[in-house]
Amino acid sequence: MPVTDAELHARFRPLFEKIAAGAVERELSRRLPVEEIAALRDAGFGAVRLPVEAGGAGASLRQLFALLVELGAADSNIPQALRTHLLCLRRAVVGGAADDPVLRGRLEQVAAGRLVGNAISERGGVVRNSSTTVLRRDGDRLLLEGEKFYCTGTLYADLVDVVALDEDGSRVSVLVETSAPGVERIDDWRGFGQKLTASGTTRFTAVEVDPAQVRPAPTDAHQPVRQGFLQLVQLAALAGIARRAADDAAAYVRDRRRNWPYGNADLPRDDPLVQQVVGKVDAAAFTVAAVVDAAAASLERALSEPGHGPAAELDVYRAQSTVPQLVLDATSELFEVGGASTVDVDRALDRHWRNARTLAVHNPIVYKQQVVGAFALNGTVPVLSLSPGVAG
């Protein structure tokens, strides 16, 4: 029997509530959610998409994204920190692991409760789809050398998936233990939002690599479900931000007794204008969650109907074209429910807009709107470069 929503909620919702209870304190003190992510791992969240017989919960793609929205409401840093790991779970249902011993071994690691981070992007003048991180041979050893940035979630991970160039100049994916000698993880992410994703530097100095953990990295061959999945994780986090912002706004007003001298009621909760603001923010939260669910359903359809992949990717891009602005507007307008006390640092209500703004810049809206428009007008399929960088 497929796992039910109620069973998943019973398993994970109490943990999400504990994570939410400490979110403001972590934000104010910039305490990384190391314990919280470890608790998720121990509860089996990292394997939630794996079949039950493989050690997972057997959740569907739609169920996963519903959980991610709830987790994003608890702490929007955490879905983003787990994004690379969740991509590993996607591979489990796409298939291919049975015929690929390296991939099969990686999925076994996930089933055992281990978390995977990433080391893909590099700073500086690196040419697109290239890398200054290299895998070189030293006698009978393979050694990994280089430095990566934007290594989201790697500080929380047991393993890190590194993209490098081998001695033939081919892109390879190398799975490395984060505790291996020569691996240095540095918490130097300085964004004004999503401060706790640990999206900093990872340095590799003569790290010995198991040849069995090397496989070809994705190339420019387009993989629409993969790209749609990665972006939808961020949209789920945005939907979670909207829900928490709506709940925080309502909680702020509900307990407040002080109203404007020109207010329309003795209590702010009875003031029609305040009710309108809270209603608008709450409606935005409902809308973006529904959009994420619809896009997740489209991605799930593509798993059983590969021909639907491009359409599913476009559905995610349609969501990407609308969700961020709705969330940015909602997380700004929530301050209209009160006066100067809404900007009290201890409330940390500003974190909602800062986190939403930071997530939104990962995939600029204008590019997604152009892609959707080009398809609607000319049937043009999206083209993607797998790694950012300067033109070659």
Side-chain angles (χ1 to χ4, degrees):
M1 290 289 292
V3 65
T4 66
D5 293 349
E7 289 170 334
L8 290 170
H9 290 157
R11 181 172 177 178
F12 293 113
R13 191 167 280 171
L15 182 52
F16 294 166
E17 291 172 354
K18 289 182 181 179
I19 291 171
V24 171
E25 179 274 324
R26 289 192 299 277
E27 179 75 21
L28 295 177
S29 64
R30 201 184 176 281
R31 179 176 69 80
L32 297 175
V34 175
E35 296 176 1
E36 289 74 14
I37 290 179
L40 285 167
R41 179 194 62 213
D42 295 344
F45 190 79
V48 69
R49 275 281 284 145
L50 290 180
V52 173
E53 59 271 20
S60 69
L61 202 62
R62 288 183 75 177
Q63 288 174 323
L64 170 65
F65 279 101
L67 290 172
L68 288 176
V69 172
E70 287 200 34
L71 180 56
D75 186 333
S76 67
N77 294 278
I78 296 179
Q80 176 74 348
L82 295 177
R83 193 167 72 129
T84 297
H85 177 84
L86 295 170
L87 182 63
C88 294
L89 295 184
R90 188 200 70 85
R91 291 178 183 142
V93 294
V94 168
D99 301 322
D100 185 336
V102 178
L103 183 54
R104 186 169 62 249
R106 294 184 181 191
L107 294 178
E108 288 170 355
Q109 298 254 35
V110 170
R114 311 195 79 198
L115 297 179
V116 182
N118 89 90
I120 298 173
S121 298
E122 298 177 6
R123 275 177 154 173
V126 182
V127 175
R128 273 199 300 260
N129 293 327
S130 186
S131 176
T132 62
T133 301
V134 297
L135 187 64
R136 62 181 177 85
R137 189 166 294 280
D138 180 27
D140 60 353
R141 300 190 305 162
L142 282 178
L143 299 181
L144 184 67
E145 299 269 4
E147 182 173 297
K148 300 287 190 177
F149 194 64
Y150 302 116
C151 300
T152 304
T154 295
L155 272 174
Y156 309 117
D158 306 291
L159 304 157
V160 56
D161 189 6
V162 188
V163 171
L165 297 184
D166 66 13
E167 292 184 315
D168 295 328
S170 300
R171 282 168 55 96
V172 291
S173 167
V174 185
L175 195 66
V176 177
E177 297 274 351
T178 55
S179 60
V183 177
E184 183 182 7
R185 294 172 288 170
I186 304 167
D187 179 22
D188 58 351
W189 165 245
R190 299 187 62 208
F192 64 57
Q194 294 295 93
K195 294 181 178 182
L196 309 179
T197 56
S199 300
T201 298
T202 305
R203 190 172 294 135
F204 305 94
T205 306
V207 178
E208 188 164 358
V209 171
D210 179 358
Q213 293 300 330
V214 181
R215 69 193 302 265
T219 66
D220 267 344
H222 198 55
Q223 301 178 50
V225 176
R226 180 181 187 275
Q227 300 309 320
F229 179 93
L230 284 170
Q231 295 199 23
L232 195 56
V233 173
Q234 292 175 328
L235 294 179
L238 280 164
I241 289 172
R243 173 42 55 200
R244 180 58 59 187
D247 291 349
D248 282 354
Y252 171 87
V253 172
R254 195 178 297 117
D255 297 333
R256 186 169 166 80
R257 301 192 63 80
R258 179 187 174 101
N259 202 5
W260 299 103
Y262 38 80
N264 296 297
D266 291 335
L267 293 176
R269 65 189 297 169
D270 296 325
D271 190 318
L273 294 181
V274 175
Q275 291 172 347
Q276 187 268 341
V277 173
V278 173
K280 185 176 181 180
V281 175
D282 189 87
F286 172 84
T287 300
V288 295
V291 170
V292 168
D293 180 68
S298 189
L299 279 180
E300 188 143 53
R301 177 183 168 187
L303 296 179
S304 57
E305 301 176 30
H308 184 69
E313 182 184 27
L314 279 160
D315 285 341
V316 175
Y317 288 0
R318 291 178 176 111
Q320 183 72 40
S321 297
T322 54
V323 165
Q325 196 59 56
L326 283 170
V327 179
L328 288 168
D329 290 346
T331 54
S332 177
E333 290 174 7
L334 73 85
F335 292 95
E336 299 295 329
V337 300
S341 60
T342 59
V343 299
D344 189 312
V345 170
D346 290 340
R347 297 186 188 278
L349 292 178
D350 63 307
R351 77 188 191 279
H352 299 313
W353 184 89
R354 288 187 292 101
N355 289 339
R357 181 68 272 174
T358 302
L359 278 168
V361 299
H362 284 74
N363 296 288
I365 296 170
V366 291
Y367 287 104
K368 296 303 178 288
Q369 291 173 335
Q370 182 273 324
V371 166
V372 172
F375 178 82
L377 292 170
N378 304 314
T380 306
V381 176
V383 177
L384 178 76
S385 176
L386 283 178
S387 68
V390 301

